[in-house]
Amino acid sequence: MAPFGSSPLRIALACCALLLACLPPAVGETQLFGVNASSGVVTIKNLGSGANDVSEYAVCTLDGCVAAAFAAASPLAAGATADAVSVTLAATLDTVMLYTSSANYSNVSLLTDYMQYDTAAAELAGQAADNQAVAVAAGLWTEGNTLAQYQSPYAFDGSAGDHGPQFWTGQDADECALGTDMCDANAMCTNTAPGYTCACKPGFSGNGTSCEACPENTFQDQSGQASCVDVRDCAAGERVTADPTTTSDRECTA
């Protein structure tokens, strides 16, 4: 009878141990997962394969920082989420920075994730611009992108290791209703999801962001046309009816 040390069971167990030793260790990878400016809630999610110690994780906005914001949820299991509540978030413009520790906020190596929003589509300045520059340098964001096409709440839809505005979505912002569109005063604004379109009104021509009245002896009877039609485009013996800058009865007629 073979000794236990060389039995098939012992050999099988040894092989399993070797196989497990070759597998990569379970690693936690926690990132920003949701931001609700209305309720002041910032959500993180462990997108890694193992539990993650988030007891020292901190959240910083333009108003200030919340240290140990997720301590109650630590260790955060793989696939689990945790909320930091009562975070002060501005309604229209803010930056959200996730640090693995509150020991030194100037230490860029502690910054693990970032997102920003600006529904007013204003140019970032001051601390907001500085925060964006830090995130861009760390490879966590794209310069100049503020998710202006969306409103709160914002949600992350990427995978572990994904960072940047292309992985964030939100409620569509109606720029036309908000008055943040860049359409000309003589253009019609149409909301899309996301974004908006501009089309010059009848009697005006252009690209929508710049519209000019059709000059004398021309007409334009459909919104969105880039140019006015010269009366000389009418067939021989025809003329343009009515005022070319109004919306009624402009056509070539005998």
Side-chain angles (χ1 to χ4, degrees), residues 58-82:
V59 173
C60 292
T61 66
L62 292 177
D63 183 73
C65 298
V66 180
F70 309 96
S74 189
L76 191 63
T81 61

Side-chain angles (χ1 to χ4, degrees), residues 41-224:
V41 174
V42 173
T43 302
I44 59 173
K45 183 175 183 178
N46 184 354
L47 301 172
S49 57
N52 197 186
D53 181 3
V54 296
S55 59
E56 295 298 322
Y57 275 47
V59 173
C60 292
T61 66
L62 292 177
D63 183 73
C65 298
V66 180
F70 309 96
S74 189
L76 191 63
T81 61
D83 292 337
V85 298
S86 301
V87 179
T88 302
L89 292 160
T92 58
L93 186 158
D94 217 325
T95 62
V96 183
M97 311 177 83
L98 181 65
Y99 288 87
T100 57
S101 172
S102 59
N104 185 356
Y105 293 120
S106 62
N107 186 345
V108 179
S109 66
L110 298 179
L111 179 64
T112 188
D113 206 2
Y114 175 91
M115 71 85 65
Q116 66 184 36
Y117 58 89
D118 176 15
T119 58
E123 183 176 351
L124 295 185
Q127 188 62 53
D130 292 343
N131 290 350
Q132 178 185 253
V134 170
V136 171
L140 300 175
W141 202 254
T142 304
E143 185 175 4
N145 195 302
T146 57
L147 297 180
Q149 70 271 40
Y150 295 118
Q151 291 180 306
S152 178
Y154 304 95
F156 177 77
D157 62 2
S159 303
D162 291 336
H163 302 279
Q166 67 271 35
F167 301 109
W168 284 88
T169 60
Q171 300 297 312
D172 177 56
D174 188 342
E175 294 87 351
C176 302
L178 292 170
T180 58
D181 64 89
M182 300 298 291
C183 296
D184 188 270
N186 293 307
M188 293 182 292
C189 179
T190 302
N191 185 58
T192 58
Y196 61 93
T197 60
C198 304
C200 295
K201 296 177 181 179
F204 298 84
S205 66
N207 60 10
T209 58
S210 177
C211 301
E212 296 182 357
C214 292
E216 186 178 3
N217 294 324
T218 66
F219 72 99
Q220 195 274 78
D221 60 354
Q222 295 180 14
S223 64

